[in-house]
Amino acid sequence: MNMAMMRLRREDPRVVGSFRLHRRLGAGGMGVVYLGSDKKGQRVALKVIRPDLAEDQEFRSRFAREVSAARRIRGGCTARLVAADLEAERPWFATQYVPGPSLHDKVAEEGPLYAADTAAIGAALSEGLVAVHEAGVVHRDLKPSNILLSPKGPRIIDFGIAWATGASTLTHVGTAVGSPGFLAPEQVRGAAVTPATDVFSLGATLAYASTGDSPFGHGSSEVMLYRVVHEEPHLHGVPDALAPLVRACLAKDPADRPSTLQLSLRLKEIAAREAQGLGEVRPPGPRAPVSDRASVRLADTSPDQQRTTQRRAAPGTPPPRGTAPSRGGAPSRGGVASRPGTRPNPAGRGTGNRPAPRSGAGRPAPRTTGTKLRPANPRLLRQRLTVFVVVTLLVALGIAVAQGCSGPARGLGGDGGEQRTGVRQASVPGDGQGRVA
């Protein structure tokens, strides 16, 4: 059912029951759906049975089943029933209006969904089907056009052919009710429907959301129904994270399909996992400029760190000290560098890099590049070498003075020759003096 708004036609009613009609939302096999509102301004989707079918007892019965099913279902994944009149000349009922496009229209206009989005929608629909089945109802026509994507989550609509669990799908001999490509094999054969029937349709719907096509291709109704019963679904293009679960939903034998509860739990896990690694799952898109990527990272930092990072992310600015440059000019993994003078994470927790060791002078230790070790500051190393040489000379001179003063007491001789010899032996190589004042 196409839920795009259209102007009312001349033959359309302006008032139904206590509701004023404003627009057409679409037309289905049973009737027309209007956008209406009550005296308080509450918007509703009001469905009126077609005039030529109003006198058909079979269609009146189906319409009554839709209303009965909507009344029994308690859950946030279906449109809540507001009012109904099954005895009117043209029976009607009104449900809460659900803003948003259908899943079919969204995929047709914007292309296949990402794995995380598909899994999240599937998890919500599975949870909604749990409530539907607990009410003893099987939808029997779950498909992308019967799923509306509202701001509060997906909603299942159009229970026009819903039936009690265990009922047959045949209205006439050899005629299956539903949409080819999304019907379960047991519906095509005319066998009893069960909650597993909706699981099959949900699997086909998730495949459509991931690929933009039915898993059984295109063709006439007869060809499509034959494929559903005898051929395996084509799942090329379904993300690897979803493909095994979708294939299980599309099992020919209802007993081999997961339950709606199992499906809901599994899809929630997949949605959470795929959302964390969304950048790896999504198809490659245009590379964002460095300034854009930097602004995204700023959202996770403190105001001081944001100002520091913005200065460092300016064009022509070298990367922060203490972080290794990554390939392709992108920032290294591990987040935004800390501000100068702040202590790094002592255990490296929460980042992808080890904390940089710090010297006694308070500066970062030598950093590594992709090929070799190089000093972070050659001037600092020269200063340290000078200090080391001076300290060594002072120690050597101190030892020489000590030995020179204690020489006569130890009986080493009074000519001073052994004192000078001792000084030369104690001095560092290259001193060349060995004299003590």
Side-chain angles (χ1 to χ4, degrees):
M1 179 181 297
N2 183 11
M3 298 302 290
M5 290 191 185
M6 298 167 284
R7 291 184 178 181
L8 295 176
R9 300 178 182 177
R10 180 175 299 179
E11 66 270 18
D12 291 330
R14 268 44 182 181
V15 176
V16 174
S18 60
F19 299 95
R20 181 175 296 277
L21 305 186
H22 306 289
R23 296 276 181 173
R24 269 190 175 223
L25 292 177
M30 290 176 57
V32 182
V33 181
Y34 300 96
L35 173 64
S37 62
D38 59 13
K39 296 179 180 179
K40 296 181 180 179
Q42 179 185 10
R43 296 196 296 177
V44 298
L46 193 145
K47 189 172 192 177
V48 182
I49 204 168
R50 285 165 41 188
D52 57 320
L53 300 176
E55 298 179 0
D56 190 312
Q57 189 59 42
E58 178 183 353
F59 279 93
R60 276 186 172 267
S61 298
R62 288 176 57 187
F63 194 81
R65 288 199 302 272
E66 182 173 5
V67 174
S68 176
R71 282 174 172 164
R72 292 201 304 270
I73 297 170
R74 296 290 183 268
C77 207
T78 59
R80 178 176 56 85
L81 181 67
V82 177
D85 186 355
L86 304 180
E87 303 300 327
E89 181 180 355
R90 294 181 60 187
W92 59 270
F93 79 100
T95 61
Q96 183 181 18
Y97 173 69
V98 179
S102 69
L103 178 60
H104 176 274
D105 291 344
K106 183 173 181 64
V107 173
E109 295 174 4
E110 303 180 12
L113 305 182
Y114 299 123
D117 298 330
T118 302
I121 291 174
L125 294 175
S126 302
E127 191 170 354
L129 286 176
V130 171
V132 171
H133 297 157
E134 286 179 349
V137 176
V138 178
H139 189 284
R140 301 202 314 167
D141 195 24
L142 192 66
K143 56 184 178 181
S145 59
N146 281 341
I147 296 169
L148 299 182
L149 302 178
S150 76
K152 296 182 179 180
R155 296 291 185 269
I156 303 172
I157 62 170
D158 202 351
F159 284 80
I161 62 171
W163 201 272
T165 303
S168 171
T169 62
L170 295 179
T171 55
H172 302 288
V173 177
T175 303
V177 177
S179 303
F182 297 93
L183 287 175
E186 59 269 24
Q187 290 177 279
V188 180
R189 295 191 181 101
V193 298
T194 65
T197 302
D198 286 342
V199 171
F200 185 97
S201 300
L202 179 58
T205 298
L206 295 180
Y208 173 85
S210 300
T211 64
D213 197 4
S214 164
F216 298 99
H218 301 277
S220 64
S221 297
E222 293 77 9
V223 171
M224 297 287 288
L225 296 178
Y226 177 86
R227 291 173 182 167
V228 167
V229 176
H230 299 287
E231 296 183 4
E232 293 300 317
H234 296 283
L235 300 181
H236 179 71
V238 177
D240 294 339
L242 288 170
L245 191 60
V246 171
R247 191 176 298 277
C249 292
L250 296 176
K252 305 298 184 185
D253 188 349
D256 295 335
R257 301 169 199 158
S259 68
T260 49
L261 181 58
Q262 293 172 336
L263 195 57
S264 175
L265 296 176
R266 185 74 184 99
L267 285 170
K268 286 180 181 178
E269 295 175 359
I270 295 175
R273 184 174 67 247
E274 294 300 309
Q276 292 178 353
L278 198 56
E280 301 175 0
V281 177
R282 292 192 174 193
R287 188 177 180 87
V290 175
S291 59
D292 293 344
R293 295 197 299 269
S295 64
V296 172
R297 292 194 303 273
L298 291 177
D300 297 329
T301 61
S302 65
D304 291 340
Q305 289 176 324
Q306 291 180 16
R307 289 191 291 270
T308 303
T309 306
Q310 288 173 345
R311 289 196 298 269
R312 293 176 176 176
T317 305
R321 287 188 291 179
T323 57
S326 59
R327 296 179 181 178
S332 61
R333 188 178 180 182
V336 179
S338 60
R339 298 176 61 196
T342 59
R343 298 185 62 185
N345 190 334
R349 297 187 181 98
T351 63
N353 299 329
R354 295 181 179 178
R358 307 185 73 86
S359 64
R363 296 180 179 271
R367 60 182 180 180
T368 59
T369 62
T371 56
K372 62 182 181 178
L373 183 71
R374 66 186 180 92
N377 194 336
R379 182 177 179 182
L380 176 63
L381 292 181
R382 288 196 299 270
Q383 292 176 353
R384 290 179 177 177
L385 181 60
T386 302
V387 171
F388 174 77
V389 172
V390 171
V391 171
T392 302
L393 289 175
L394 292 177
V395 171
L397 292 175
I399 293 175
V401 170
Q403 290 182 350
C405 295
S406 60
R410 294 181 180 179
L412 295 178
D415 60 356
E418 294 182 0
Q419 295 177 13
R420 289 190 296 271
T421 302
V423 170
R424 293 191 184 96
Q425 293 175 349
S427 62
V428 295
D431 177 52
Q433 301 298 326
R435 293 186 296 273
V436 179

